[in-house]
Amino acid sequence: MTRFMGLDLHKNYIHGYVFQPGQKGTHFRFLNTPDEWARFVATQLTPETAVAIEATGNAFTIYDRLVDYVRQVVVIHPAGLKGLGGGRHTDRIDAERLAQLMALGTYTSVQVWVPPAEVRAIRALITQVRACQQQETAWRNRARNLLIRTGYAVPRTVALREWFAAQGAELDETLQIVFTSALTMAEQAQQEGDRLRGEILRRLAGYPEMAWLWSVPGLGAWTAAVVWAWLGDPQRFRSARQVGRYAGLDPSVHQSGEADWRGHISHQGPAILRQVLVEAAWWAIRAKDTPLRTFYARVVPRLGKRRAIVAVARKLLLAAWRVWHEQRLAHEVDRRRYQKKLSAIRAILRTVPSYPLTDRWQILTGAEGSAPDRAATEARGQPVLST
């Protein structure tokens, strides 16, 4: 007989509830440590157990730990869980609700898709790139603010390194030190981000779907990597509307009676996907004689620049989903431009080294020899860049 279990995940402990139909359920709690997890797997889990866990920071790691030992593991969206129970939420209540959702089979509407390990790995690397970009921006802004406070308002169009080379001698020694430190930190963050970005492109080069994504006009190698990571599997979306809603690029709507109000985009879903698509949209409308530029020119008088560029970003995403879903090149692709894009990407990939993990490992740990085996990430083979 199936046992239904709900696990309420926390940083330091796990609270669980398990029951079988017709029997009284029991609560339990254990520490969130490797030893306690091993004991829990050995003593509490059976092949007939169905487990529900809430989507938190470590939910996918817990999913990996459990999936080989039980009948089923389901990850539940927190918003779906909090919509139950009229505001009463404790560890005990949440664990019971998770188990009950499994028993009743009503979890499908709030179930979270669990990405494969390779998708999660690329997501983690992209998130780290974004963190490097944020740090670079923060340090460059700090350097500019230092100059502003001393009477030097350097325009944004002027590179700080060039300005410092031309006029840095006018600053006193202390300000030179602080400014040099800030600029060095910014450049180190930029270099680290470039190394990680190269590692991502190198890993994804062996996936055939990347060639389809690259065929979409306006979708560069980096944007395609972000789309690949967060869409994950195009078959999990039944329509283009679902894709736009997942990315938070769908307009918010309030309709009740005679009132019908449509506002800003919903901003639900992964923010990094929206940010990268909007950045790509600004680049896409600069190209001459492209469908996206034509679309932007048509809607900008009615929507304004900001809303029009979001509409372009949504079109980019939907075009990427369609070519990936249908496993084809974009219908509107210009073969000559596409071949030039492939040549440029191929040139980049020839010069992209692996992330210097071995060197960093030795520096940080002081250990001799190489870092953990990279064979799994090297097994993808040569880039697939043909049409």
Side-chain angles (χ1 to χ4, degrees):
M1 181 179 293
T2 303
R3 301 167 70 240
F4 299 99
M5 181 180 295
L7 296 179
D8 191 29
L9 308 180
H10 296 275
K11 177 181 177 181
N12 297 317
Y13 67 90
I14 311 298
H15 188 97
Y17 176 78
V18 61
F19 76 97
Q20 288 180 328
Q23 298 181 12
K24 184 178 179 180
T26 58
H27 288 269
F28 58 90
R29 181 177 292 195
F30 59 94
L31 297 177
N32 188 15
T33 64
D35 290 341
E36 287 291 292
W37 272 108
R39 184 188 62 79
F40 167 73
V41 170
T43 60
Q44 294 280 355
L45 300 185
T46 69
E48 295 303 317
T49 303
V51 182
I53 59 179
E54 186 178 358
T56 60
N58 60 344
F60 294 154
T61 302
I62 304 305
Y63 176 93
D64 291 338
R65 286 178 177 173
L66 304 180
V67 69
D68 292 332
Y69 299 97
V70 297
R71 175 180 175 180
Q72 184 182 15
V73 183
V74 172
V75 182
I76 304 297
H77 196 286
L81 188 62
K82 288 179 172 56
L84 304 172
R88 296 179 62 245
H89 294 285
T90 66
D91 293 348
R92 295 174 65 89
I93 291 174
D94 286 348
E96 288 181 14
R97 285 180 183 147
L98 287 167
Q100 290 165 1
L101 283 173
M102 288 296 293
L104 296 173
T106 57
Y107 58 84
T108 54
S109 62
V110 291
Q111 183 177 359
V112 174
W113 177 70
V114 179
E118 60 269 21
V119 173
R120 279 182 263 163
I122 296 299
R123 285 184 180 184
L125 291 172
I126 291 174
T127 303
Q128 186 69 4
V129 171
R130 207 64 177 175
C132 290
Q133 292 173 337
Q134 292 169 351
Q135 286 297 311
E136 178 194 355
T137 300
W139 281 110
R140 290 192 187 280
N141 288 342
R142 179 172 176 79
R144 289 185 184 277
N145 291 338
L146 286 170
L147 296 178
I148 289 173
R149 288 201 295 268
T150 55
Y152 297 92
V154 182
R156 293 281 177 180
T157 55
V158 177
L160 289 174
R161 178 186 279 268
E162 295 177 1
W163 183 92
F164 191 59
Q167 304 185 50
E170 301 175 9
L171 306 176
D172 63 64
E173 183 180 8
T174 301
L175 187 57
Q176 288 177 348
I177 293 173
V178 177
F179 179 86
T180 302
S181 173
L183 195 58
T184 300
M185 295 295 290
E187 294 184 350
Q188 287 179 351
Q190 179 185 15
Q191 293 166 5
E192 187 68 8
D194 290 343
R195 294 188 191 98
L196 291 167
R197 190 181 289 106
E199 174 71 15
I200 292 166
L201 296 179
R202 188 187 65 81
R203 290 191 183 192
L204 290 181
Y207 289 88
E209 55 264 33
M210 296 304 296
W212 306 326
L213 294 176
W214 291 331
S215 72
V216 177
L219 207 67
W222 175 246
T223 309
V226 177
V227 170
W228 181 92
W230 264 270
L231 288 190
D233 179 6
Q235 306 301 327
R236 66 191 181 103
F237 300 102
R238 295 191 300 272
S239 66
R241 180 175 295 180
Q242 281 191 343
V243 179
R245 187 177 301 119
Y246 165 77
L249 292 172
D250 58 321
S252 55
V253 178
H254 174 76
Q255 192 280 322
S256 179
E258 297 179 355
D260 190 351
W261 175 82
R262 297 174 186 271
H264 300 291
I265 59 175
S266 64
H267 292 283
Q268 300 297 313
I272 189 171
L273 179 59
R274 291 192 298 277
Q275 293 164 359
V276 170
L277 284 168
V278 169
E279 291 170 3
W282 281 114
W283 284 100
I285 64 173
R286 296 179 184 180
K288 297 180 180 179
D289 303 324
T290 62
L292 289 176
R293 183 182 178 92
T294 304
F295 171 77
Y296 177 79
R298 187 174 75 250
V299 301
V300 71
R302 176 169 55 89
L303 300 179
K305 288 185 178 180
R306 294 181 63 181
R307 295 177 66 185
I309 205 66
V310 172
V312 173
R314 185 175 185 275
K315 274 196 169 292
L316 265 178
L317 175 64
L318 299 187
W321 172 75
R322 287 192 180 98
V323 299
W324 190 3
H325 185 267
E326 299 171 12
Q327 301 185 7
R328 60 170 174 84
L329 298 181
H331 291 317
E332 63 273 20
V333 65
D334 183 313
R335 294 282 178 164
R336 182 180 58 84
R337 289 181 177 178
Y338 180 51
Q339 290 299 331
K340 287 181 65 176
K341 180 188 283 190
L342 288 183
S343 298
I345 295 173
R346 188 180 292 116
I348 292 173
L349 291 173
R350 280 198 297 266
T351 61
V352 168
S354 301
Y355 185 81
L357 180 58
T358 299
D359 295 341
R360 298 289 177 82
W361 184 274
Q362 293 177 355
I363 292 172
L364 293 174
T365 65
E368 296 295 331
S370 61
D373 185 23
R374 292 173 60 93
T377 59
E378 299 289 349
R380 283 288 170 185
Q382 296 300 316
V384 178
L385 296 176
S386 61
T387 59

